[in-house]
Amino acid sequence: MAAGVPIAFQEVLNLQQLQVPETSIKHGLTTMESDKWIVSVEPNQVSLIDLQNQAQVTRRPIKAEAAVMNPSSNILALRSGKTIQMFNLDSKSKLKSHDVDSPIVFWKWTSATNLALVTATSVYHWSTEGADAPAKIFERHATIGSNTQIINYTVSPDNKWCLLGGISAGSAPGVVNGNMQLYSVEKKVSQPLSGHGGSFCSIKLAGRDDMAQCLVFHEKKPEDPAHRLFVMEVGRDPSKGAPHRIPPTQIPVPPEAASDFPVSLVIDAKNDVAFLLTKAGFVYMFDIHSGKTMFRTRITQETMFVTCAQASTGAVFGITVRTGRVYRVGLNGANLIPYIVNTLRDNDLAIKVAGRLGLPGAEHLYTQQFEALMGAGQVKEAAQLVASSGSALRTPQTIARFQQIPAEPGAPQPVFQYFSTLLEHGKLNEQESIELAKPVLQQGRPQLMEKWLKDDKLHCSEALGDLIMPHDTAMALSVYLRSETHAKAIQCFVQRGEYDKIVPYSTSVGYSMDYSSMLSQLLFSNPQGALDLAKGLVSADGGPLIDIQATAEAFLSSNRVQETTAFLLEALKDNKEEHAYLQTKLLEINLIGGAPQVADAIMQNGILTHYDRAHIGKLCERAGMWQRAAEHYSDINDIKRVFKNSHQMNPEFVVTYFGKLNREQSIALLKDMMSRGPSNMQVCVEVAKKYNDELGSEELVKVFENAKATEGLYYYLGAVVNFSEDPVVHFKYIQSACMLGQFKEAERVCRDSNIYKPEQVKEYLKNAKLPDPRPLIHVCDRYDFVDELTEYLYLNSLLQYVEVYVTKVSPTKTPQVVGKLFDLGANEDFTKRILMAVGTACPVEEMVEIAEMRNRLRMLQPWLEARVATGSTEPGTHNSLGKIYIQMNKDPKAFLTNNMFYEPKVLGPFCESLDPSLAFVAYKKGAGECDDELIKISFTHGLFRDLARYLVERQDLELWAKVLTKEEGEEGDIDAEKESQRRQLIDQVVEWALPESESADEVSCTVKAFMAADLPGELIVLLERIILQGSDFSDNKNLQNLLILTAIRADHTKVASYIDQLDNFDAKDIALICVSESHMLYEEAFTIYVKFAKPEHTTDKEEQIEMQVLAMGVLVDYMKDLDRAKTFANQVDEKPVWSKLGNAQLEEKMAADAILSFISAEDASEYVRVCAEANEAEIYAEVIPFLKMARKNLQENLLDTELIYAYAKTNNLTDLEKFVNGPNVANIQNIGDRCFSEGLYNASKILFKSINNNSKLALCHIHLEEYREAVAAASLANNVSTWKQVCFACLKASEFRLAATCGLEVIKYPDHVDDVVTTYSDLGHFDHLVSLFEQGLGLEDAHIGIFTELGILYTKHVPEKVMEHCKVFFSKLNVSKVVRACERARLFKPAVYLYMQDKQADSAVKTMSEHSSAFDNDLFLDAIVKVRNAEIMYKAVSFYLTMHPMLFTRLMEVLEDHVDHSRVVNQLRRTGDWALQLGQAYMKTVQKENLSAVNEALNELYIEDEDYESLRKSIDKFQNFNMIALASKLATHELLEFRRISAYVYRCNKKWSQSIELSKNDRMWKDCIDTANESADEETIEDLLRFFCETSEKECFCAALYTCFSHVRPDVAIELGWLNGYHHFIMPFLVQNMRQTYERLQVLEKRTQPPKEEDAQDQIAQTYGQLGGFGNGMLMLENGGGMGGMPGGMPGGMMPPGQGGIDMSGFGQAGMPNGMPPGGMMPNGMPGGMPPNMSM
């Protein structure tokens, strides 16, 4: 897309590159409802392309006709036939499903919850919510009937209007009509419209508060060639006014697109722009508010069949048919307004669009219109213009213009009208907000400001807050917070007393301030505020902002114990170890200060853990807080002492406290408490209960036993016995319970516990001989001491408990009890009585076993018969009774036959030794459980006939396998005896058992058993006897199937005869088995199919054909006899048979024969393979009839495409052209490319011409050497690649004029300029190339590349034109490329010129320095000050020193403000002394900077030139150098003036002695006296005076006294005068000294005079007024140094120790902040302290 156009267009995706097949990229198969998903339906799957996740493709194996994805959520709708479904892909669940009555021809999501369904007659809406079926909305209008293809459907935002759109064939060829139906849901009426596309949108119209719901649609009536755009409002309430409607506007359709028509109209809701896309690839962009066309262009040669809008950007996505290119088209705001102004020349539209969208480019238009309105006095209109201009006119100058306009009488001021208009349109900027606030606040209407701030209509700034501050602090605070004016916001917090908000705010915004001063001032004026502030300071993020200890001391110094406690609680809440001392003090001040309850609460919360616990424990004990004291002690002696008061402690605390002690301490404390008497027993029991696991039951038991507290032991053990797993606990509990007479509890534990040692408890209970033996009974019963229990009870004459035990406690132990009684020789009647009493509860098996072991089984007969009589079905009972009957021979066979409850596996072996037949009866009764035993006994005793009958009746294949399977020995030999037995059994089955059977199931099972045993010979004999010799089962289908199958496996020769003889078998299944690889009986299978294809066997015609097809399959698939197959096909002459034959012929590469077969079958289903084989065999003439036949029933792209290709290959151009111009669905583009690639250029020309593919058409002309026609086609294509190819072809053909024509079109595109240059250059046509680009300069849209490339060509071929070209077209050159070309051609002057014009001064300077031919002094000086790299300047200095030394001074004049002079001086030094001399003038100029390097260099030059006057001036003015070094250097100079300068320098550096010594040596007495006076050093002056006395310089002595009067002690002067006789010379000094002494004494007397009373009061008031924090109004946030005045009786406000205050000896050990000394005292004279002469 060319630069400067108002739309942005790009290809963002290609579906074919994502493996989406071309056949699926078309209308109905590929959908795109939003910018989130593209869904494509493929033959066996559905592809989901996630546009939000880098176009990730998910393919799901779903067969569907269509699929569409919800625009908002991942809900996929699928359609297959008349079934539609919705699936939630996130939850992987089906939401809804419905079967429609009529096929759906179009569907689309109209919202996130509604799916629209369009059938041939109606439109339905189907909601995703609920379970309702699709609801019918309206019927399709007659104008949009069934002959119309629906391509779009949309619903208005209020869901009250629907628009259905479609296309239909027009009356003339190639004309496509558009039909739409507008339906009102409320009125239930429809209106037909003539057009191709439309959509609804909501826009904000100027002058209206409500949104306008508009319908934007395209109109094209069949009889009218004009295209129009309509914009009209629908659904507006008439009471609110007339609906918005603009006159229809003409759409500028280009002449070459006269037959083009729109396919979609998409709304850019963000910018109120409509995009109209057409079939030919044109895009039209309209302004919805005016209906005007803003832009038109062609973006593709293909049709975008599906489009959607991107809500976030307003862009439009479209997919091209078949190729699958996904394009994105959107508004390019930066170019829109310039395009409208410069190209459309519609200033009014430009102003409206720029104001509405806030786009640049119309500023000058706004200014002109504003001036015109202001000049006409239209203030309101001017204000509205400013408001709609964005930021173009909203400047302080505009505000001033409105302020200068005088107000009319009775009307508001113009500036207020201006601000009111701005507020209606949006938010004011900073300056507007301030100017509006001034008059509003002056009028006393802050509520308006508050409303505007609430509505976010004002821009908050510090200046606005300052205006509001005097009127409303809260509102000002809001403004400061929004404008991030932190200092002012904190000032507001202080004024409002919201101290707790200061620190969080400061921390959140990262603002730092002096909190100590603020806290000091608040401490006495507002203690609560100080506390809130201090809390915030210590809780700030990143750590405390103040010293915790110092702040706590400050609170305590004012006796603020409560505030101190609150502060420390907040400061110490993190419970850090380094705060241990402060934690201790916090608790101490409350425990000693009379608030122990506070300390108790603190300790109760447990927030402090690092304090001195021992110290606090003593304080708690002293305060009578026994529990707290115990908590803090760790020594057991201290704990025992505290627990002497345990009766005053909470028992719960005592119990809990033991959990903190170790095991030894707990035991010792328990012993101590138990030793104090029974009063502590209850709590000790509770402790033992709770800490049983920790202390150990053994130790606890010893504690109670040592204290002889049996009752306590009982209660303790009773609490833990149910949970303890210690055997000692359970035993001791049983023992203590028995000792206290708690037999029931002892019985309970003996009965329920599993922990105690049974032997130990049993022995204890036996030895105790309790009156109630039930505990012993439970122990013996549970742990199987039944014999001992029985013996104990029997020997102790407790027989009644024996009976109780077996009847009520454990009846299952009756056998053991009875056995023991047998052993003890108990009475047999007693034993029988016990058995009868227990009855059925006694286990039979065990009882019988014990009785059998003691040979007393018959004694149990009455008991067993009694059990049977009661209905007992226990196998053991019946087994035992059966044994008794068998032994007694009491009708055993009847018992074995009729009894249903005995166990055959028990009585069977019992009978084998007595009677095998009885054993067979018993085993047979087992119903399969004893099959192995039954087979064994039958084979052993020869019971084969009985076994055969049993096997037939059982119908058990596994059982049959046991007797029929051959068993091989260890060496593989078959056991002859077993084989004989097996043969006897088979004979009995064949001869007797099976003929006797009348059950089909028994016969079937037997046959299956023979098959499983692999006895095919025996099975055939068996089946022939059943089927062929006549029986009830002769016509049984299964048996006939079995007979044939057995013959197939065992004897192939009999299969054919069986097929002829038998008629009732499964033909298809048998035939399939015949053709299997294991048998390959193809003839038999073919015979079966042919036999059952006859009417006498198969009456259904379709089944007959199926059999014939299967027979054909045998011939072609298995027998591979295609000749016989062709004969068979001719015989039956059925289409499916021919189709089968055709497929087989295709497989064998017999394409021509296959084509004939398919034509005979009229079957085009395999057209894809036929086309492929025909192409491979190159039989294009033969395939044409097939393709024509296939097109009668199919409309497929491949058929039409291959037909065209066949015409092309056979050079049948007439039929080809006729076919192409007729209706077809061929992919003309692809087949044209194919023909083109194969050199069929005439055919390609016809094809490309039919689809207006002028690009490829031009290439065809090139290959046919039709160059003029190629240029004409390229002009129609207007495609750069086409122009380029035609250009190069013409160039190679020496058609230079035509090549130039094409070349001019190519070089319009910057990306292709290099290709043109390369091609011309390779062919050596340099003159034509230069001429081409010179012509290109005159192009209307000539770009920078043309000018640049021409410049490069000039450097190579016409160097004399380079400079002129650069000067004329500099603004249109790519400077870097041209410069490189100039440097390659060594044209340095043009290069320097370009560097300078491009503001690349660095490169220009570098070029002039390196190439003398390019040097120009003026140009160099101009460039050097513009360089960005300062190093280049220093290189320029070296360059000038070397190459142009006479111009060096001029260079440094230019560089004076840009270089480091010290570095330049150093550079001059390195160059040589001559360079320093050369730069002297420069250094004098820059010496004003007072740089050490410059000063030292100049001083050296002055010394070298012996110019002491200049040196003295330099030293006086510029002293930034090493003065001591200079003084040392000059001290030995041969000239006096330079030595004086040395002394002067020493004097300036306060080296008084060195200076005086130099002056002494040169007898420069005045210099000595002045130096000594300046030193103000008494010792130096005294030394000089003594020197003068020694050298008898009386006058100098007197002059020194006069000059140094203020620094000479009188005693020194008198002494020297007296010693040297200089009385007269010292007298003036003495007179002056006396006068000075007198005046000082007079002043001192006045100062020490006692003040008057009024003056003293004034002084006291003044002193208080100077104290920070008293009576000075507002707190000074920046006031530092000290904590303010301290009230109290001591200086600094501290209370004397020992007078009821808090002991502060622990604080302040390391000194106090804010200048406070240890002990809290304030230093005298410091802020916050007392004046030295005051007392309270």
Side-chain angles (χ1 to χ4, degrees), residues 1312-1329:
H1312 302 277
V1313 170
D1314 292 341
D1315 296 339
V1316 174
V1317 173
T1318 301
T1319 303
Y1320 268 87
S1321 299
D1322 292 344
L1323 296 176
H1325 303 308
F1326 302 111
D1327 294 339
H1328 294 289
L1329 177 60

Side-chain angles (χ1 to χ4, degrees), residues 252-267:
V253 178
E256 65 270 18
S259 61
D260 192 16
F261 62 90
V263 293
S264 64
L265 189 147
V266 187
I267 302 296

